Amino acid sequence: MPNIAYLNGEFLPLEEAMVSIEDRGFQFGDGIYEVIRVYQGKPFGLVEHLERLNKSAKAIGIALTSTNQEWEAVIREGLERSGYLECKVYIQVTRGVAPRDHLFPKESSPTTVITFRQMSGLSPELIQQGVSVVTRPDLRWARCSIKSLNLLPNILTKQEANEAGAFEALLIKDGMITEGTSSNVVLVKNGTLITPALSDQLLAGVTRQSVLEIARRNGRVVEERAVPEEELTQADELFLIGTTIEVLPITTLNGESVGSGKPGKVTNMVRKNFHALIHGN
Ligand code: PDD
């Protein structure tokens, strides 16, 4: 079976799944989403992703029509139907279809979409080499802890980074690092892991939570706090984390080498342990 979609209660081939042009997701970006990786048929961090989906929905006043058990059942059915063992599950819920008006519609029910796409990870060469990043101003709104569909500043900034030859942009707000356009970031200094503390300025990444747990379990000190931009250039190691990129070493920052210019020891330790976790050994 090719890539498939689930749309408001029905499974169908992905290219046949259609929503109205008056869907508020289309007209306003009025909705929320989650991206979940499936390894060997098992969704990683499913409970945490569903928890965050519920929080995002609540934060913008969308009443989800499924319980977590129902989400889980639908995702499992989708995985079975697709036959995919390695895949990316994308969930999107919008405020539904209504004549265009900024105010919430009096009557509408959420549009629920889930897509199941085959996916393999980043190339081993890229991971071994590490990636380059650039810093850019954080142009986003004041509630980045909500996983909102409104990604215009993220996509504009990531495109800019790409055109500057970088893989990702690290976002700077009031002199402080927040996160990447589609990732969280960790600095390593003298063996300590440092990452921006959770706040409205960044997404509470599911990968972030696992990675920090791994670091602590391996006896590392982890500092979750405000991180001034200057600390980036003083770091021994930097790495990106996220569902699609897992743990990805950063070896170049604004055109300069990070540390030795090669993926660092702590980054590799975290990466190895994260790999063991997602593959269940
Ligand atoms: N993005 N920060 C931002 C802004 C993100 O968009 C993401 C993930 C993360 C990492 O979160 P997690 O570990 O839960 O994936 C942090 C997804 C993958 C995306 O938009 O495609």
Side-chain angles (χ1 to χ4, degrees), residues 188-242:
V188 182
K189 183 72 185 170
N190 300 328
T192 294
L193 285 86
I194 304 161
T195 196
L198 295 182
S199 74
D200 274 343
Q201 309 296 332
L202 63 140
L203 190 74
V206 172
T207 319
R208 179 187 181 281
Q209 190 183 327
S210 295
V211 158
L212 299 188
E213 267 168 34
I214 286 172
R216 290 189 173 112
R217 237 186 293 126
N218 281 272
R220 294 284 163 180
V221 175
V222 175
E223 294 179 7
E224 296 179 67
R225 58 168 170 82
V227 189
E229 179 181 7
E230 299 77 62
E231 290 194 31
L232 282 174
T233 49
Q234 297 155 8
D236 302 323
E237 303 176 29
L238 297 175
F239 60 91
L240 296 170
I241 45 184

Side-chain angles (χ1 to χ4, degrees), residues 33-35 49 52 88 140 144 147 151 154 179-184 202-208 241-244:
Y33 77 103
E34 281 296 324
V35 180
H49 281 286
R52 192 170 62 190
K88 178 158 83 168
R140 303 172 304 161
C144 296
K147 206 159 169 60
L151 291 174
N154 306 57
E179 57 184 335
T181 64
S182 57
S183 55
N184 291 115
L202 63 140
L203 190 74
V206 172
T207 319
R208 179 187 181 281
I241 45 184
T243 293
T244 45

Side-chain angles (χ1 to χ4, degrees), residues 239-254:
F239 60 91
L240 296 170
I241 45 184
T243 293
T244 45
I245 56 168
E246 302 172 347
V247 176
L248 185 59
I250 298 172
T251 43
T252 309
L253 167 74
N254 291 330

Side-chain angles (χ1 to χ4, degrees), residues 8-246:
N8 294 333
E10 201 190 342
F11 282 100
L12 60 179
L14 194 124
E15 60 283 0
E16 287 176 24
M18 305 281 169
V19 295
S20 162
I21 58 166
E22 287 202 308
D23 192 281
R24 289 176 65 95
F26 181 62
Q27 292 190 328
F28 292 115
D30 184 4
I32 50 162
Y33 77 103
E34 281 296 324
V35 180
I36 305 170
R37 264 299 273 286
V38 175
Y39 298 99
Q40 290 137 17
K42 275 193 261 159
F44 178 75
L46 183 55
V47 170
E48 290 79 5
H49 281 286
L50 291 177
E51 204 175 290
R52 192 170 62 190
L53 184 75
N54 279 283
K55 270 195 198 156
S56 298
K58 197 161 172 230
I60 69 164
I62 289 182
L64 295 179
T65 50
S66 304
T67 63
N68 284 2
Q69 281 90 335
E70 286 164 345
W71 283 114
E72 283 185 30
V74 169
I75 290 168
R76 292 199 195 285
E77 184 177 347
L79 289 175
E80 239 165 68
R81 284 174 180 254
S82 73
Y84 293 154
L85 292 177
E86 305 295 314
C87 90
K88 178 158 83 168
V89 176
Y90 174 74
I91 306 178
Q92 175 175 310
V93 183
T94 76
R95 206 178 304 279
V97 179
R100 187 179 183 281
D101 184 346
H102 286 63
L103 291 175
F104 293 2
K106 290 216 168 49
E107 275 174 39
S108 76
S109 54
T111 302
T112 301
V113 173
I114 311 178
T115 60
F116 300 80
R117 286 178 173 275
Q118 196 154 33
M119 162 158 192
S120 49
L122 296 175
S123 80
E125 294 77 38
L126 190 74
I127 296 160
Q128 252 158 37
Q129 255 174 33
V131 295
S132 64
V133 300
V134 288
T135 47
R136 287 289 183 273
D138 191 340
L139 304 173
R140 303 172 304 161
W141 69 328
R143 299 182 73 188
C144 296
S145 51
I146 301 171
K147 206 159 169 60
S148 145
L149 289 184
N150 280 273
L151 291 174
L152 196 51
N154 306 57
I155 61 175
L156 292 179
T157 309
K158 191 154 195 169
Q159 183 64 26
E160 208 181 296
N162 176 273
E163 286 169 15
F167 178 87
E168 175 64 299
L170 301 182
L171 305 175
I172 310 295
K173 186 157 217 149
D174 301 327
M176 300 290 164
I177 307 158
T178 55
E179 57 184 335
T181 64
S182 57
S183 55
N184 291 115
V185 64
V186 178
L187 296 73
V188 182
K189 183 72 185 170
N190 300 328
T192 294
L193 285 86
I194 304 161
T195 196
L198 295 182
S199 74
D200 274 343
Q201 309 296 332
L202 63 140
L203 190 74
V206 172
T207 319
R208 179 187 181 281
Q209 190 183 327
S210 295
V211 158
L212 299 188
E213 267 168 34
I214 286 172
R216 290 189 173 112
R217 237 186 293 126
N218 281 272
R220 294 284 163 180
V221 175
V222 175
E223 294 179 7
E224 296 179 67
R225 58 168 170 82
V227 189
E229 179 181 7
E230 299 77 62
E231 290 194 31
L232 282 174
T233 49
Q234 297 155 8
D236 302 323
E237 303 176 29
L238 297 175
F239 60 91
L240 296 170
I241 45 184
T243 293
T244 45
I245 56 168
E246 302 172 347

